[in-house]
Amino acid sequence: MAAHLKKRVYEEFTKVVQQQHEDLSTKKLRLTKPSKSAALHVDLCKATSPADALQYLLQFARKPVEVESVEGVVRILLEHYYKENDASVRLKIASLLGLLSKTAGFSPDCIMDDAINTLQNEKSHQVLAQLLDTLLVIGTKLPENPSVRMRLVEVACKHLTDSSHGVRNKCLQLIGCLGPVEKGIAKDAESQAAKDVQKIIGDHFNDQDPRVRTAAIKAMLQLHERGLKLQQAIYSQACKLLADDYEQVRSAAVQLIWVLSQLYPESIVPIPSSNEEIRLVDDAFGKICHMVSDGSWVVRVQAAKLLGSMQQVSSHFLEQTLDKKLMSDLRRKRTAHERAKELYSSGEFSSGRKWGDDAPKEEIDTGAVNLIESGACGAFVHGLEDEMYEVRIAAVEALCMLAQSSPSFAEKCLDFLVDMFNDEIEEVRLQSIHTMRKISNNITLREDQLDTVLAVLEDSSRDIREALHELLCCTNVSTKEGIHLALVELLKNLTKYPTDRESIWKCLKFLGSRHPTLVLPLVPELLSTHPFFDTPEPDMDDPAYIAVLVLIFNAAKSCPTMPALFSDHTFRHYAYLRDSLSHLVPPLRLPGRKLVSSPVSPSITPHEDPSQQFLHQSLERVYNLQHLDPQGVQELLEFTIRDLQRLGELQSELAGMADFTATYLQCQLLLIKALQEKLWNVAAPLYLKQNALASAAAKQILEETYKMEFMYSGVESRQVVIIHHMRLQAKALQLIVTARTTRGVEPLFGMCEKFLQEVDSFQRCFISELPHMQGSFVDKLLDLMPRLVTSKPSEVVKILQTTLRQSTFLHLPLPEQLHRASANIIEPTGESDNPLRFTSGLVVALDVDATLEHVQDPQGTVKVQVLYPDGQAQLIHPKPADFRNPGPGRHRLITQVYLSHTAWTEPCQIEVRLLLAYNSNTSKASTRIPKSTWNESLEALPPSENGIEGTIPFSKPVKVYIMPKPARR
Amino acid sequence: VSLVSCWCPGAGQDVGRSCILVSIAGKNVMLDCGMHMGYNDDRRFPDFSYITQNGRLTDFLDCVIISHFHLDHCGALPYFSEMVGYDGPIYMTHPTKAICPILLEDYRKITVDKKGETNFFTSQMIKDCMKKVVAVHLHQTVQVDEELEIKAYYAGHVLGAAMFQIKVGCESVVYTGDYNMTPDRHLGAAWIDKCRPDLLISESTYATTIRDSKRCRERDFLKKVHETVERGGKVLIPVFALGRAQELCILLETFWERMNLKAPIYFSTGLTEKANHYYKLFITWTNQKIRKTFVQRNMFEFKHIKAFDRAFADNPGPMVVFATPGMLHAGQSLQIFRKWAGNEKNMVIMPGYCVQGTVGHKILSGQRKLEMEGRQILEVKMQVEYMSFSAHADAKGIMQLIRQAEPRNVLLVHGEAKKMEFLKQKIEQEFHVSCYMPANGETTTILTNPCIPVDISLGLLKRETAIGPLPDAKKPKLMHGTLLMKDNSFRLVSPEQALKELGLAEHQLRFTCRVHIQDPRKEHETVLRVYNHLKGVLKDYSVQHLPDGSITVESILIQATAHSEDQGTKVLLVSWTYQDEELGSYLTSLLKKGLPQSTP
């Protein structure tokens, strides 16, 4: 064998020498490769002691091995393996074998037999375990080979009886990863052992070593993940494992039980020591609940997490989790929650606690008290009071998931969630506020609960306060006192933290529009009007007064009787606010006044909404006017664009849609204008100026199309086609312009070819959409394609020009929802006159706080740009953790930007703005179109000069005054 | 069968004067050495003279363990070690060792200086006593002597409170001291591993109570304080120096921090100040939150809480004051109370239980007019609130601890008899373990089933496991060997070695059995038939036909002779040594069934 191996090595070596002669350029690359295996062989032969050999192997492992020489290296290693007496060297060889078989492109089936053979005579347990690990690697590299897998599994089964836990561990791991999943294969297999993997693994559930037990459960879970349906019989075994002494075992067992409960939720299991039977999912739920008070926190976290996903559990089991019977000296006591509820229902609120207020009432039958319930009793009560915040967070999360699926449970868990608002750890508080928001449509807050919720408004952490505002936006309050309380607390918050202004106003807006009838009786008090006397006019710039007005106006929207209660100045203030804060103040129908804006609220009936109608009508008009005289078309387009832009400003709901279409029409207008140029009729070189106009138009259209594609959320493939089509037209225009202005044909060849490639890729990408594009530019172009491919550039240009002129204007279908991504930098405000001073060469951190709306995947796309006065631009990628997600479609970026510059003589302004980075590779089209075709077409596309990757600025730039001072000596 | 016995000089069906004597496998350990708050005479300390009658305590006791620094657990320590006389080791955790002497000194001062008692331990005695203390870490196994080892577990309750496992050989006892299974603002929850002790001695203060969540109470407390402060009122919180005071301080400190409040908080100087110093040092003993954030800021370095000066009480504006003592019966808290009682904007919050007769108890029961010394009438206009903060495990907590530790027996102390009765019944019902609740002075004896470790030589172990089928984890394996009990140790050795060591000659024991077989043929033919039959049946064994006409199966010899009277009957003589008993008896039963009929 050894001789054979050596021969192989030398064979390789000679082969390379031949190549040296053939191809000099690859000589150096290839030379190192076979010499590596040879060198290794020489090294290992030279090695006098195991320590030496180990050193050589370690050195060898540091260098990568090419795919072609892997097999040779493996043979050499195996040869030494058999010769080696020292276990540690064999161990290293075994691990190297595993590493080598991982090499990409190498198929390890040729070394499998040898690897299995090595197992036979191995005595050291550690080496055995390592070899099995190698086999596992080999097995996972050969997924399409069931017979190999069967063999490996058999080998593993044989070694399951090994006395070392490490070996058994690896065997189970191997069986879990490679064991047959389909029944059919198992039947074909001749070996008895491989027939029932589940049974083999199940037998090791009560192995004497906890590590092996864990590995067995993990292997079982692995099988489940690979698609094997676990048998229900395992359930009872798994239940026993819950009482194991070791936490890893218990933790894995909890998972296994959860898996089984999801597989067989409706099976019936008997309750031990009674004749009753319950559903398996209920039983499993009870068992996992029990683990929430386990001794190890790892298990507790695991259990609490899994509880959340057990939605099939019966409601009475679910409600038990919040139940904890209190007693004192054997007498039943009411919980604080029950007392609060009672106080509330008896009409008395906020009574001071008296000594003995919580005195126990009725006697309890001692026999009936169950101190450790077998069921789910109080699992969440324990989980939420746990020592470790990890457990508490997991419990809150689970509570959230269960409450979302069960309204009655949501109602019940409210008290507990409210309690969590006072947790000592901020993450837990935040998590519970978010949870509450998520379930808020299922619940109505009682006054005492609201009181506790509102108390958190004074928290010094901004995240907490904003989360709470967010929560209040979608909370249902039951009484007018509740609304009043909320308003008072919010105003208190406002005076304490004036920076919360926007967030509080928004919160009051929703609070008002949700509870118009509750606000109505409060109006006189809030506006401090008096039936007989005129009261002084409040200060219009007072944020608190604005807050009150926002609440009232939003309530008045759906409560027509309310405006009657307003005093004169309120109407004036309304008009002012409606203009200055139009996003917060809705249009109102006010008696005896001219309607300030559209009378019907758009949110109620969006389809019959006149503004929407207007939008559609104007679009119709444009699309119908295909064949008017060019002048008329241009004018109409200009008017429509203007209308749309104005509409977008007025109707925030339609802003996205209006902007989108306006941009599209703008592109069309530019195209028409460019084609109208006189230059086309005149000899090219004379009209360089106009050329500039046309090429500028082409460039702008390109830019606009990127904006349309990447800045709007909700764009569908129908729109993407049109956008791409427009881009194609722009490129055609560019081509024509270049053809006109440049002399010589040389550069044109390349451009033509590229353009045709693009047409081709367009066709491949949007083949399904082509039928909708009758008469369009691309439609005509594709008809002429055979001619185009063969003709000369000048001819191509000519054809393009005529097609471009003749092609019809494509109708842009509008999607249901379209929102333009926008960003607003809140901080820095750009108003400061005090320059930010820092020593030049050092770094200063600038806090940036911005809200982003309708940005998909902000972590990947949003960048911060800093422009220095010297034109130097710096692009900063904020950390993913800097983005928070306060609500759907909204993000908030709170980050620090590091600035630095050399010294300036006087302070100057830098510009900070947000950019949206895009990349055509991650185009919206790619998600809908089968990946392969898109990738192909991309490969075909050369990286074009007008930027496949680019950025779109989408926020107003903010100026920051800075002053780098020269360093003091 | 061995015994663990447990005798309670104090704390049996009673709260206060905790003192338990445990003897386990010949070792005597004293758990806690407390005083009783209710007595001022000899009854305040446990009756130590009863322990040994006349002998010296040091000779009798192997060690003393103190679970935590409360006086009802360590109050009698100087008396016991210095006045009665004990020189052996005293074990306690580091925080307990640090705080214990402060409390003992305070206790001494009150008894001797204020009440004027004589014949009490002195400051020097406290110092001498503390010199005998050995401090232990959590989870550290301390060898008291070769056989006795102790180990401390976290118990919550107060800073440094610990549960102790006492172990001799494989018998063990766990003593919980006072513990708390729900975490609070400054301490974590008690935790123990599945140590399966023979006896768990648990406190049972709240044996019949299941408590409400701590959060509601905390929230109520904070709300009350917050509202009063916002109104511009002053809040007085009478506390005892250690334990709850720190919890409430942390609670208010974090709340102030969170809510950005500015009103000052004060705590009375003296004991609390000293104690806070130790709390700062023993961060590892506190809860997760404090441990995790102490790198940024030590939570006990209060930002908002400052030391109180008498003059501050008259300052205008809102403030919160923690003042000792907790029951408003004397001292600073009472002085402040008198100053503030007249204003309805102010508030007093009683965070704990008040003994009858104290001002605290009076105002809690609703009395609004108090008669102070000097016939003055004090009208109480301020609001009076009660908040219970207690750090003992409730019934559920006790059950949870029992479930974690899985003891074989449970013994309840430190509680009231009536309440214990209920818990006892529950424990027996749920866990099916026996539960005891001895009264003071009673002795409880528990039978244990100790396992005795035996050394086995590796050669023998390997030889024995190699025989027969592979080891199966699920079945016990039978092994052959000789048990040698020599010099107080047990060894399992091979018979040869045992003979050699004991100097005995080897004797052989053989069993012989005759089996009658009906066979008319000749003897050697019969032998041949038997041989073929056995060869067919016993495939795994070496069956040989010897030239002298006998058959051997392994070491078993079979000979056939014709019956003296009846030639048709052959007598088979089967002989085996006792080591081959199994095979031998199998062979005879096989032969007794007769030979198969169809023979070649």
Side-chain angles (χ1 to χ4, degrees), chain B residues 236-238 326-328 348-352 354 360-361 363-364 384-388:
Chain B
L236 170 67
I237 307 170
M327 295 184 196
L328 279 182
V348 59
I349 297 179
M350 309 297 298
C354 290
H361 187 263
I363 56 169
L364 276 179
V384 179
E385 296 289 344
Y386 171 74
M387 291 279 153
S388 131

Side-chain angles (χ1 to χ4, degrees), chain B residues 22-42:
Chain B
V22 171
S23 31
I24 166 171
K27 301 282 171 186
N28 297 317
V29 179
M30 188 153 102
L31 303 167
D32 279 345
C33 188
M35 50 75 93
H36 200 293
M37 299 146 280
Y39 303 118
N40 279 325
D41 47 20
D42 280 347

